[in-house]
Amino acid sequence: MQRRPPAINEDDARLFREAVGEVRHIDTQAAPPSAPKPSPQPRMLEADEAAVPGELLGMAFDPATLEVGEELSYLRDGYPPKLLRQLKRGQYSVQDEVDLHQMNAAAAQASIAVFLAEAKRHGLRCVRIIHGKGLRSKAAGPVLKTLTDRLLRRRDDVIAFASARPAQGGTGAVVVLLQG
């Protein structure tokens, strides 16, 4: 059962009017309808994409250092191509790395297996494997680079990989994105 507020007597009403003072009535109008909210726009993505051509034109590079045709890249089926583009642009932070220099194929294969198992155990998502460019390899080509490419493509926990950016080893290293 609700309690009713006590009735306001004339003295209380007079005291209230004296305290408040003169009152002016305001005509109430319905508020105008609000404009529809705009659809979300990926502004940062659009700005980043728009900046790329200008950055490429303004980028100073030595044509002799370009390594065309030697890049490694892979994206597991079912994942968006954007993921590989981001990996190639260096938009993932490398959390750990292993260097295979001076190893033979058997030692490198074992090192990659142990390294990736440890990365998975520690919950790492992005790692780098430095395999070298194979400059001292015989006519067969870069042994460790080819081995790394073949091993990574066979692993179920590898989502994508790509040759590292020039500052991170270029075509002598690969950046790997692992399942979380």
Side-chain angles (χ1 to χ4, degrees), residues 2-179:
Q2 274 187 331
R3 294 180 67 182
R4 291 179 148 196
I8 299 173
N9 64 32
E10 188 56 40
D11 284 340
D12 288 341
R14 182 182 49 75
L15 265 171
F16 177 78
R17 283 191 297 276
E18 287 174 4
V20 170
E22 193 172 324
V23 176
R24 176 176 54 110
H25 288 281
I26 299 175
D27 293 335
T28 58
Q29 296 178 355
S34 61
K37 292 184 178 180
S39 61
Q41 292 280 348
R43 289 191 180 105
M44 289 308 296
L45 173 67
E46 291 169 353
D48 288 346
E49 292 293 327
V52 169
E55 289 173 1
L56 290 175
L57 290 175
M59 191 179 301
F61 66 94
D62 178 7
T65 63
L66 285 181
E67 304 163 298
V68 180
E70 297 177 7
E71 296 90 5
L72 297 180
S73 72
Y74 168 78
L75 177 65
R76 181 166 301 287
D77 288 338
Y79 288 91
K82 175 183 175 183
L83 200 81
L84 186 57
R85 281 195 307 272
Q86 290 173 329
L87 189 63
K88 286 181 177 183
R89 289 181 182 164
Q91 293 178 336
Y92 288 92
S93 294
V94 174
Q95 297 168 299
D96 200 1
E97 68 180 33
V98 64
D99 190 342
L100 306 178
H101 279 104
Q102 308 300 321
M103 291 186 192
N104 63 25
Q109 184 171 353
S111 293
I112 290 172
V114 169
F115 175 68
L116 292 178
E118 284 293 305
K120 188 174 185 178
R121 192 169 68 81
H122 291 294
L124 304 181
R125 291 276 321 227
C126 185
V127 295
R128 178 174 42 236
I129 299 174
I130 302 167
H131 48 68
K133 296 182 182 185
L135 299 178
R136 291 180 291 182
S137 295
K138 309 275 187 282
V143 176
L144 297 182
K145 182 175 185 173
T146 305
L147 173 76
T148 302
D149 181 49
R150 195 172 63 244
L151 289 175
L152 292 176
R153 288 176 188 271
R154 292 180 181 165
R155 292 187 61 102
D156 290 335
D157 56 348
V158 173
I159 296 172
F161 63 85
S163 290
R165 310 267 301 161
Q168 296 179 330
T171 59
V174 68
V175 179
V176 184
L177 192 61
L178 301 169
Q179 287 180 336

